[in-house]
C-alpha cells in the first residue's frame, strides 16, 4: 500500500513539476525582449520563407501556450502574446512551431509515424481501460487485462514517438534563429531554456505513461501467477 502511494505521488508530481517549470521559464523569458525586435509572427514568417515554405500561413490563436503547427491546413498558430510581441520566449516558441512545418515538408520519419498513429491511438485509448477494468475485476478473465495492456501500449508508443519529434523541432528552431541572426548570442541560452522546459512536459508525460504500463504488466503477472 505504501509503495502504491509513492507510485501515485510520483505519477502526479512529475507532470505538475514539468508544467510549473515550463510556465515559470515562459513567464520569465516572455518579458525579455529580443535585440532583433521581431515579433513571434515575424520570426515565424522569416524562417518559413528562408526554408521555401511561403505556402505556410502564420495565424494568431487564442489561449496561453496554445502555439502549434497544423499540418492539415499548413498553418503555424501562435498565441496572441507570441504573435504580436517580441520576446526571447516568443521567438523560441515561434521557431519551434516552424520546426514542425519544416519536418512536415521534409517528411521527417518520426513525425510521419506519429501522424499515422493518431487514428490508431484514438481508438485504442477508448477501449484500453474497459478491457483493463474487466481484466482486473473478473479474475477469471486475465486475457482481457492482457488485451487492455496491448491497446494501452499503442498510446505509450505514441508518447515515445512524440519525444524525437519535439526535440528535433527545438533543435531545428535553435539552428534557424541563430543562423538567421534572429536572436543574439546572449539570448541563445535563454531561448534554449524555454524550449528545454517545454520538452520536459513531453518527457514527463511519456515517463508517466511508461510507469502506468509497467504497473499494469505487474498486476497481470501477479494475477496469472496466482492461478
Ligand atoms: Zn512541438
Amino acid at each position: 500500500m505504501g509503495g502504491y502511494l509513492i507510485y501515485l505521488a510520483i505519477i502526479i508530481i512529475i507532470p505538475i513539476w514539468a508544467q510549473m517549470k515550463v510556465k515559470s521559464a515562459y513567464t520569465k523569458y516572455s518579458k525579455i525582449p529580443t535585440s532583433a525586435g521581431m515579433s513571434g509572427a515575424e520570426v515565424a514568417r522569416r524562417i518559413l520563407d528562408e526554408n521555401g515554405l511561403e505556402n505556410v500561413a502564420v495565424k494568431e490563436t487564442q489561449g496561453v501556450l496554445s502555439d502549434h503547427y497544423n499540418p492539415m491546413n499548413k498553418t503555424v498558430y501562435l498565441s496572441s502574446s507570441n504573435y504580436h510581441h517580441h520576446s526571447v520566449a516568443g521567438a523560441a516558441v515561434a521557431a519551434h512551431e516552424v520546426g514542425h512545418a519544416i519536418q512536415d515538408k521534409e517528411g521527417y520519419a518520426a513525425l510521419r509515424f506519429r501522424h499515422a498513429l493518431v487514428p490508431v491511438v484514438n481508438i485504442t485509448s477508448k477501449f484500453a481501460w474497459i478491457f483493463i477494468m474487466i481484466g482486473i475485476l473478473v479474475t477469471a478473465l486475465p486475457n482481457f487485462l492482457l488485451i487492455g495492456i496491448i491497446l494501452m501500449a499503442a498510446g505509450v508508443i505514441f508518447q515515445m514517438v512524440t519525444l524525437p519529434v519535439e526535440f528535433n523541432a527545438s533543435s531545428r528552431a535553435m539552428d534557424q534563429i541563430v543562423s538567421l541572426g534572429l536572436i543574439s548570442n546572449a539570448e541563445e541560452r535563454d531561448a534554449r531554456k524555454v524550449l528545454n522546459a517545454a520538452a520536459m512536459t513531453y518527457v514527463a508525460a511519456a515517463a508517466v505513461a511508461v510507469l502506468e504500463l509497467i504497473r499494469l504488466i505487474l498486476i497481470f503477472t501477479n494475477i496469472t501467477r496466482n492461478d
Side-chain angles (χ1 to χ4, degrees):
M1 191 63 192
Y4 181 62
L5 288 178
I6 292 168
Y7 166 81
L8 265 188
I10 289 172
I11 66 163
I12 291 167
I13 288 168
I14 288 177
I16 292 175
W17 173 80
Q19 282 296 331
M20 281 168 63
K21 287 285 283 182
V22 73
K23 281 225 174 74
S24 77
Y26 180 75
T27 306
K28 182 175 177 188
Y29 296 109
S30 62
K31 292 193 187 96
I32 298 177
T34 55
S35 48
M38 292 170 84
S39 69
E42 287 166 340
V43 167
R45 186 71 270 154
R46 176 76 198 283
I47 303 173
L48 286 166
D49 293 348
E50 288 287 339
N51 288 275
L53 288 166
E54 291 86 357
N55 61 316
V56 174
V58 181
K59 288 183 180 158
E60 182 180 353
T61 185
Q62 300 303 311
V64 178
L65 288 176
S66 50
D67 312 72
H68 64 282
Y69 168 68
N70 185 341
M72 307 301 255
N73 61 4
K74 309 286 179 209
T75 302
V76 168
Y77 289 95
L78 299 177
S79 53
S80 298
S81 167
N82 288 340
Y83 187 92
H84 293 288
H85 301 129
H86 66 97
S87 71
V88 171
V93 171
H96 172 94
E97 299 312 333
V98 174
H100 286 309
I102 299 172
Q103 288 174 337
D104 186 24
K105 178 199 175 193
E106 291 183 0
Y108 179 60
L111 183 77
R112 285 196 353 229
F113 184 48
R114 188 173 181 273
H115 282 169
L117 275 177
V118 171
V120 178
V121 173
N122 276 344
I123 295 168
T124 58
S125 63
K126 278 198 186 81
F127 294 103
W129 283 106
I130 299 170
F131 281 95
I132 288 165
M133 291 317 285
I134 294 172
I136 289 175
L137 295 173
V138 188
T139 45
L141 296 171
N143 285 338
F144 273 69
L145 179 54
L146 184 61
I147 293 167
I149 289 170
I150 292 166
L151 293 175
M152 200 179 167
V156 176
I157 291 168
F158 182 80
Q159 305 259 35
M160 301 300 284
V161 174
T162 298
L163 298 182
V165 173
E166 293 304 326
F167 280 102
N168 176 268
S170 286
S171 89
R172 285 172 194 266
M174 290 309 301
D175 289 350
Q176 295 287 330
I177 51 177
V178 171
S179 67
L180 295 174
L182 305 180
I183 56 165
S184 69
N185 285 347
E187 292 157 356
E188 184 184 338
R189 196 181 46 128
D190 296 340
R192 206 177 292 278
K193 274 188 199 159
V194 173
L195 294 182
N196 285 348
M200 281 313 290
T201 62
Y202 293 102
V203 173
V208 166
V210 169
L211 283 174
E212 192 73 349
L213 191 66
I214 291 171
R215 187 174 70 96
L216 289 169
I217 292 169
L218 290 177
I219 292 172
F220 176 74
T221 50
N222 259 334
I223 290 175
T224 46
R225 194 190 303 147
N226 292 346
D227 277 352

